[in-house]
Amino acid sequence: MSTRELRRLPSVDRLLGEPALQKLAPRYGHRLIVRAAREALARAREEIRDGAEPPDREALAVRAATYLQNDLAPMLRPVINTTGVVIHTNLGRAPLSRATIAAMEAAARGYSNLEYDLPAGHRGHRTVHAEQLLCELTGAESALVVNNNAGAVLLALGGLAAGRGVLISRGQLVEIGGGFRVPDVMRESGAQLVEVGTTNRTHRHDYEWALAAGGVALILRAHHSNFRLIGFATEVELEELVELGRAYGVPVMDDLGSGALLDTAAFGLGHEPTVQESVAAGAAVVCFSGDKLLGGPQAGIIVGQAALVEPLKQDPLARALRPDKLCLAGLQATLMHYLKDEATEQVPVWRMLATPLEELNRRAKRWQRRLRRAGIEAQVIDGRSAVGGGSLPGETLPTKLLALPAADPDRLAAALRGGDPPVIARIEDDRLVLDPRTVLPEEEGTLLERVRDETMRQ
Ligand SMILES: *Cc1c(COP(=O)(O)O)cnc(C)c1O
């Protein structure tokens, strides 16, 4: 009996002709697709021997495609973010502006003056281009670009304080996602952690006592980023730390994390400290990410006083952490948007944060109408979008959500994640909701197709 059932399974060749596998051919090539088809057939044979019904050819092709994409050759590929979390670290943080992508593509395609001084006709320095722009934008004397902000903090701590004490409030010994923990980075840098104050309250005199005890190379302020200290809590302001440090000849380093160049308060959010503010407040060294609120490629940026930042460029660790040409080309292009005062229109994370509620409502309504034409009744409801990326925790922006009809929202969410391109959605109050804020205009057509197909299949 089971042999007859087994014979009903298609051949590998017939399976390869199925659309689910055909459409993957350009991306994966023949060899991997054949392996996936064989694997799906082998598994089906086993199931049949265990008494299962043979799957039909289409279902088998879908299984092979899923196996190919998730297990055999998982690839970094684009996903559509409908979560409303603008800087979603798991989804690659900041999407880049058109000009940024173009600059990266141009740098990728051919040669560039990466380390070549064009007027002089000889070797130049790789990060000069972005550094000039950073100084212009932030008011700092000097700047340095590395791979990511964790690297920037490590480099700065090691370079400025190895073997000596670094003061930090106990309320700022933070852990950022992805294993970045201030005490661990401190240890790795060779600097000695000197904790001051308590978890909820640190006062000026806590720093002062530690400074008076001597052996202190640096005062570190770390932005809380992903949590809030509320209730019976006190921290010492950056200006005050700078003033204290001056009295003892100790510089202040500010790990800003997100590193906004614009004021988030202008968009109905709380105030995220800006880089310019830290520089103006007198922080000697300021570190931040390139791909959080700056909205550019992954990078770690150090700006500050030349006397402290310039020597870091000679550190062997700076060489180990150096950014590649694509990063530098992209960072430059992103920074130009700020210099040209066009960041809120051109830099996607800022455009998303600045999208007016009426616009989000129009988009949600348009999606609703298009799904209705396919016989799907979705609802437009009020909701909230988050900034994410360790910026402004607990702060949200009002948005409009499209709530999809689904008997089992978890199953629909899994189906949306499973297809191509994957759609990452959110479940709220037992409903699957789509937030238009984080969907790029060019993704809309594909998103609605996927939503229509998966909703009808449920
Ligand atoms: C995000 C963050 C970091 C790490 O930055 P990456 O660019 O992810 O390496 C370090 N410090 C703070 C305060 C952060 O928020």
Side-chain angles (χ1 to χ4, degrees):
M1 175 205 75
S2 115
T3 5
R4 202 179 65 225
E5 304 280 271
L6 285 174
R7 257 190 250 116
R8 273 170 52 195
L9 286 173
S11 66
V12 171
D13 275 345
R14 296 294 291 273
L15 201 51
L16 294 185
E18 281 292 316
L21 284 177
Q22 282 274 307
K23 73 171 187 221
L24 295 178
R27 190 184 297 158
Y28 290 92
H30 186 67
R31 171 175 162 168
L32 287 173
I33 292 182
V34 169
R35 269 190 59 188
R38 288 209 176 110
E39 177 67 25
L41 282 166
R43 289 182 185 187
R45 261 181 234 118
E46 237 163 77
E47 286 169 18
I48 293 167
R49 285 196 196 101
D50 291 342
E53 278 289 307
D56 67 27
R57 207 193 313 159
E58 187 190 338
L60 207 50
V62 169
R63 280 201 215 170
T66 308
Y67 170 72
L68 173 64
Q69 290 177 291
N70 295 341
D71 303 302
L72 186 58
M75 281 196 205
L76 181 65
R77 55 194 170 119
V79 308
I80 298 178
N81 174 12
T82 70
T83 65
V85 179
V86 175
I87 304 169
H88 199 307
T89 294
N90 302 149
L91 302 183
R93 290 196 183 155
L96 303 175
S97 76
R98 282 181 201 287
T100 302
I101 296 163
M104 292 172 92
E105 199 197 313
R109 197 180 313 113
Y111 299 100
S112 60
N113 62 336
L114 179 66
E115 288 185 5
Y116 191 75
D117 185 331
L118 290 172
H122 58 59
R123 188 177 199 285
H125 187 64
R126 111 171 4 221
T127 63
V128 285
H129 322 91
E131 286 165 15
Q132 297 287 343
L133 301 180
L134 282 163
C135 291
E136 179 67 32
L137 277 165
T138 63
E141 288 172 8
S142 199
L144 167 60
V145 182
V146 293
N147 233 321
N148 55 41
N149 189 36
V153 174
L154 179 66
L155 174 66
L157 284 175
L160 303 173
R164 293 190 292 155
V166 177
L167 301 190
I168 182 166
S169 160
R170 289 198 166 88
Q172 295 172 7
L173 291 172
V174 296
E175 173 178 326
I176 313 296
F180 178 93
R181 305 175 107 192
V182 169
D184 297 347
V185 175
M186 190 89 78
R187 191 175 333 104
E188 199 61 38
S189 74
Q192 285 158 17
L193 174 66
V194 181
E195 300 177 29
V196 298
T198 62
T199 307
N200 57 328
R201 283 164 74 84
T202 302
H203 305 277
R204 183 191 169 102
H205 61 248
D206 293 317
Y207 286 98
E208 209 152 11
W209 289 336
L211 283 165
V216 178
L218 198 65
I219 300 173
L220 174 62
R221 185 182 81 153
H223 186 40
H224 293 151
S225 294
N226 50 9
F227 77 104
R228 275 157 87 170
L229 202 56
I230 53 169
F232 190 56
T234 311
E235 289 206 299
V236 183
E237 294 292 328
L238 184 61
E239 285 81 357
E240 216 173 331
L241 290 180
V242 169
E243 185 197 309
L244 260 174
R246 281 210 184 111
Y248 290 86
V250 173
V252 175
M253 166 171 159
D254 195 12
D255 175 15
L256 272 180
S258 206
L261 291 175
L262 298 177
D263 187 359
T264 45
F267 304 95
L269 288 160
H271 178 70
E272 175 81 8
T274 67
V275 182
Q276 299 91 313
E277 282 164 5
S278 289
V279 171
V285 177
V286 184
C287 300
F288 53 100
S289 287
D291 55 351
K292 290 183 178 171
L293 276 174
L294 190 76
Q298 179 188 303
I301 297 163
I302 303 175
V303 300
Q305 295 168 4
L308 299 184
V309 176
E310 289 302 314
L312 296 179
K313 297 180 182 174
Q314 310 308 322
D315 193 310
L317 191 57
R319 170 64 179 80
L321 294 171
R322 83 177 180 189
D324 80 312
K325 61 184 176 182
L326 303 188
C327 162
L328 290 167
L331 182 61
Q332 234 182 143
T334 302
L335 293 172
M336 283 309 298
H337 292 310
Y338 291 92
L339 277 170
K340 286 153 79 182
D341 270 328
E342 57 181 29
T344 51
E345 298 95 59
Q346 298 297 329
V347 177
V349 297
W350 285 100
R351 199 173 54 223
M352 289 171 182
L353 292 175
T355 310
L357 190 58
E358 312 88 77
E359 166 71 16
L360 295 163
N361 191 38
R362 266 197 300 279
R363 288 181 75 188
K365 289 260 166 68
R366 190 165 67 231
W367 296 2
Q368 183 188 37
R369 280 196 305 276
R370 287 180 53 181
L371 290 175
R372 186 175 292 146
R373 265 180 249 141
I376 297 164
E377 284 300 329
Q379 262 183 304
V380 177
I381 58 171
D382 291 332
R384 315 287 303 180
S385 321
V387 182
S391 320
L392 299 163
E395 295 247 3
T396 54
L397 285 168
T399 191
K400 291 290 177 180
L401 303 170
L402 191 68
L404 298 178
D408 183 349
D410 288 311
R411 210 177 74 195
L412 179 56
L416 286 169
R417 281 198 309 274
D420 197 38
V423 172
I424 315 299
R426 191 147 62 88
I427 294 176
E428 208 171 271
D429 296 333
D430 233 13
R431 289 208 276 192
L432 190 133
V433 293
L434 309 176
D435 189 334
R437 190 185 296 276
T438 48
V439 176
L440 303 171
E442 60 269 30
E443 292 173 335
E444 261 183 32
T446 317
L447 169 68
L448 293 176
E449 258 171 50
R450 291 241 34 233
V451 167
R452 186 196 60 205
D453 293 352
E454 299 300 348
T455 308
M456 305 221 287
R457 212 174 279 161
Q458 290 291 302

